[in-house]
Amino acid sequence: MRGRALVLVAALLLQLLLLAAAGGAGAAATERKAHNYEDALRKSLLYFEAQRSGRLPHNQRVAWRDHSGLTDGLEQGVDLVGGYYDAGDHVKFGLPMAFTVTMLSWSMIEYGDDVEAAGELGHALEAIKWGTDYFIKAHTKPNELWAEVGDGDTDHYCWQRPEDMTTSRQAYKVDREQPGSDVAGETAAAMAAASIVFRKSNPHYASLLLHHAQQLFEFADRYRGKYDSSIAEVKSYYASVSGYKDELLWAALWLHRATGKAHYLDYVVDNADCFGGTGWAITEFSWDVKYAGVQILAARLLLRGEHEERHRSTLEQYRAKAEHYVCGCLGRNADGGADANVERSPGGMLYVRQWNNMQYVTNAAFLLAAYADYLGDDADGAVSCAGGETAGAGEVAALARAQVDYVLGTNPRGISYLVGYGAKYPNRVHHRAASIVPYKHSKEFIGCTQGFDHWFGRRSSNPNVLVGAIVGGPDRRDRFRDNRENYMQTEACTYNTAPMVGMFAKLNRMARQEREQEEVAAPARSTAADV
C-alpha cells in the first residue's frame, strides 16, 4: 500500500511539474503577444491634436501642425474658428465631428478612471473640449446651428496643407426653415455626454454644455428634417442615410443620463416604435446609424434598474434589439437570414463594408465592451440570441478585446492599423497635412496642383507620422495596400479613433490586473515545481 501511495505521489508531482512548465510556456507566449495598451492610449489622444482646426494652443504636442482656418465663418459674420477636420481633408463636417465628441465622452464616462490612472486625463478632456468649444460657437441661436465649414467638392480638387488653404470656406447652417434634426440631435448628444464628463472638474462649463444640449434637442425635435436635404453640399460625403429618428432617440437618452429627468426617458419609450428604436435590428453602429447605440443605452437602464415600472416592457424590447446587435457580432443569431450576423475576415476582423471598415470595428469593440460591463450587473449575465443560442458576458468582452488586438497588429499581416504603434504600421496615410513637408519647416506656399504634383504621388513615406490615427483598414480577406491613393483603406477618421480611447484605457487596466495575478500565481507554481 505504501509503495503504491509513493507511486501515486510521484505521478502527482510529475503532473504538477508538467502543468507548471505548460503554464510558464503559456505565460511566455501570452507575453510575446501582449499589447502595450497604455502606449496605444497615449498615441490615440495625440491624433486629435493633429486634426485640430483654428489657432493652436501653446501646449500643442503635434509640432508639424500650425494655425489654420482662422477666417472660418467670417463671410457669414460668425466666428467658426476651431473644431476638427474629420479625416485627411479640410472640411469641418458637423455630424461626424459631433459623433466623435459623443464617443470620446462616452469613453470617459465608462472608463475615465482608467484614463486618469494612465496619466492621460488632461489630454482626454482637452480633446473633448476642443470639439465642444466649437459647438458652442456654432450654436448661434436656439434654433440655428452651423453644420459645415468648407465644401467637399472644391476641397477634394486640392492637395494642400491646412495652413495653405485656398479652397472655399463657405459655412452652412440648419435652422427652422432648413432643418437638420440629425446633426442638431447628434450635437445635443455630444454636449449632453460631455456635460457629464466635465461635471466634476468644471461644473460651470458642464452647465453651459447642458443648456446648449437641451436647446438643440428642442430645436431638432420641433423642426424635423434631414440635414442633407437642407445642405446639399454634404450629400456626397456624409449623407444621413438612416434619417434623423435615431439621433433624436440617442440625444434624448444622453439628456436623460445627464439630467435624470424622466420626460427624456418618456420620449424614448413613447417614440420607441414609431422612430424604429424597438423595430430596427441592426448589425452596424456608426456616425450615421445610431440604433445599436440607442438600444444598448436603453438596455443599460433596464439592467441597472434606472427606470420606472411603466418603462420596463419597452426597455425589454430595446434590450432584445441590443442583443441582436451583440449576437450579430458574435455570429450567434441562428434566425434572421444572412444579414443577421456580421461577416468575419479569415483573421477574425468584423467586416461590414469596403470603405473605412475600421470605423465599424472600433465602434463595435466599444459597444461590446460596454454591454459586457452592463451585463456584469445582471444576475443572469448572458445574452439571448435569435434562434435560442446564448453567450456570456465574458465571451462578449473577449470579442471586443480581440477586435482591439486585431487593430494593434494581431492579424495575418502583423500590421498595426493604429499609426505610430508597433514596429509596422501604414506609412502613406491619405492625409494632406501628414503627406507634405511641415509648414514650420517650409513656409513656402504650396498650391492645389503643386501638392498633387510634388507630394501626393510620392512613393516614399509621409514626412509626418499621423500618430494615433486608425486608418480605414484591410478588406474582407485581410488584404491591405499601403498607398496614399488607396483612400478607402489608408484614410483615417476621428470617429475611428474616438471609441478606442475608452477601449485602450479599459484594456490597460485589465492587462495590469492580469500581470498582477500572474505575479501572485508564479510563486505558487514555483512551489509546486520544487515539491
Side-chain angles (χ1 to χ4, degrees), residues 189-228:
M191 297 177 101
S195 76
I196 301 171
V197 175
F198 286 103
R199 190 177 290 160
K200 187 185 294 183
S201 63
N202 194 342
H204 173 75
Y205 189 66
S207 296
L208 178 63
L209 292 175
L210 195 53
H211 172 71
H212 280 280
Q214 289 170 318
Q215 280 194 346
L216 280 164
F217 177 70
E218 289 172 17
F219 165 46
D221 189 40
R222 183 174 301 169
Y223 302 99
R224 295 181 184 176
K226 287 175 59 179
Y227 90 123
D228 58 9

Side-chain angles (χ1 to χ4, degrees), residues 3-24:
R4 189 177 173 189
L6 286 171
V7 170
L8 286 171
V9 169
L12 179 60
L13 286 173
L14 179 62
Q15 195 170 18
L16 286 169
L17 285 168
L18 289 171
L19 284 170

Side-chain angles (χ1 to χ4, degrees), residues 54 314 337 344-345 347 358 373 403 405-406 411 427 454 484 495:
T314 304
R344 297 271 190 97
S345 72
M358 272 300 167
D373 289 341
Q403 296 306 301
D405 288 348
Y406 185 104
N411 56 61
N427 291 304
H454 294 286
R484 216 168 285 117
Y495 44 85

